Amino acid sequence: MTFSTTAAERSAELSDRLQRVRTRIRSAAAGSAEPTLIVVTKYFPASDVELLAALGVTDMGENKAQEAAAKAAETSDLNLNWHFIGQLQSNKAKSVVRYASAVHSVDRISLVHALGKAMAAEQQRRAEAGGLPREALECFLQVDLRETLDPGAGSGSGAASGAGRGGALPSELPGLAEAIEAEAGLRLAGVMAVAPLGADPREAFARLRGLSELLCRDFPGATAVSAGMSGDLEAALECGATHLRIGSDILGPRPPVR
Ligand SMILES: *Cc1c(COP(=O)(O)O)cnc(C)c1O
């Protein structure tokens, strides 16, 4: 994308890329239920969000609290579902519950409590403003799949402390699920993961499916599986993904970070 790209040209480009991704999804998901396509617009401007909405996209993903809040505010007339997919600091919970319908990166008890408290405050704020309450915040438990693939790697610190790409250990899921269910404003949607770098995504996502099935035994409503990015959406769909998070294959290569 350059300075001289007009809105019409950009729209045509987005439309073309979107169509190609939708075709990939259709052929990979053949027969099973259609997954929710979340288009990850991080680093791209609100004008792209508007163009995507005009092309029929209803679900947008962002991974940074400040950028997400600004873009959601700029496009608030479009009635979009915003999915927060990045690592989230507890002190950003209040901002996120203003616009997000879902958080895919819930990975620790302190964040569950912060989101629950923020939802209670948000409902009160809406009531005082004479508005309607918002829907419960959909919470996905982000799992760190690195530890489980290679038990020898970084035992103790690293993966266990949620460093790197984030996520809870599989053994932490039941406790986190219970904590979410105990918060009035939160709903347990299911699990989320990013395939570990350098590993076979099919193996990682198969593992995620196993964890999802385990979770569903105790929490039958938590059926969602958020998995699959531009490079591994086929592997994710093969393993039962219900939510795909696609960025670069639709928006194009991300602009260099300034
Ligand atoms: C950026 C991002 C994506 C999208 O990745 P692409 O490879 O650009 O499709 C998906 N999930 C998370 C958590 C991300 O941060």
Side-chain angles (χ1 to χ4, degrees):
M1 190 172 53
T2 68
F3 254 136
S4 59
T5 307
T6 65
E9 283 166 349
R10 180 60 172 157
S11 177
E13 185 186 332
L14 290 172
S15 171
D16 186 52
R17 288 167 165 277
L18 185 61
Q19 222 162 6
R20 269 183 273 165
V21 166
R22 285 199 169 129
T23 301
R24 279 169 68 194
I25 294 171
R26 253 194 312 273
S27 63
S32 35
E34 176 133 353
T36 299
L37 170 61
I38 300 164
V39 178
V40 180
T41 49
K42 64 189 185 195
Y43 306 133
F44 287 92
S47 55
D48 278 351
V49 173
E50 284 160 11
L51 294 174
L52 286 163
L55 293 169
V57 176
T58 53
D59 292 78
M60 306 290 173
E62 287 285 336
N63 74 336
K64 290 206 175 60
Q66 228 172 337
E67 184 182 349
K71 249 178 258 180
E74 264 188 85
T75 58
S76 60
D77 54 323
L78 297 178
N79 230 340
L80 296 165
N81 300 319
W82 287 95
H83 298 253
F84 194 85
I85 62 171
Q87 285 183 51
L88 183 59
Q89 289 174 291
S90 294
N91 63 9
K92 298 291 189 333
K94 225 176 138 183
S95 160
V96 166
V97 302
R98 283 213 167 190
Y99 59 85
S101 51
V103 173
H104 291 237
S105 44
V106 179
D107 61 358
R108 58 195 192 279
I109 295 281
S110 58
L111 180 58
V112 172
H113 290 153
L115 288 169
K117 201 172 146 203
M119 277 295 294
E122 175 68 6
Q123 300 295 34
Q124 190 176 347
R125 188 185 71 84
R126 291 190 185 214
E128 280 165 9
L132 294 168
R134 59 154 291 165
E135 310 238 297
L137 182 72
E138 301 280 323
C139 293
F140 291 75
L141 295 177
Q142 184 176 355
V143 196
D144 187 336
L145 295 172
R146 290 173 304 176
E147 195 91 332
T148 57
L149 289 170
D150 182 4
S155 51
S157 57
S161 64
R165 309 186 101 182
L169 296 177
S171 60
E172 296 173 315
L173 297 184
L176 285 166
E178 266 169 43
I180 287 171
E181 297 267 278
E183 296 284 352
L186 309 183
R187 196 190 84 81
L188 179 64
V191 293
M192 177 275 212
V194 175
L197 284 171
D200 176 0
R202 262 181 194 78
E203 254 172 62
F205 293 145
R207 175 87 199 181
L208 183 65
R209 168 153 64 186
L211 293 170
S212 165
E213 286 167 359
L214 262 181
L215 187 70
C216 285
R217 280 193 212 159
D218 291 327
F219 303 91
T223 53
V225 178
S226 170
M229 312 185 0
S230 292
D232 56 22
L233 73 86
E234 285 84 1
L237 288 171
E238 220 174 87
C239 298
T242 61
H243 291 66
L244 301 169
R245 310 177 310 271
I246 312 295
S248 45
D249 275 4
I250 292 172
L251 278 299
R254 280 187 272 284
V257 182
R258 276 154 301 169

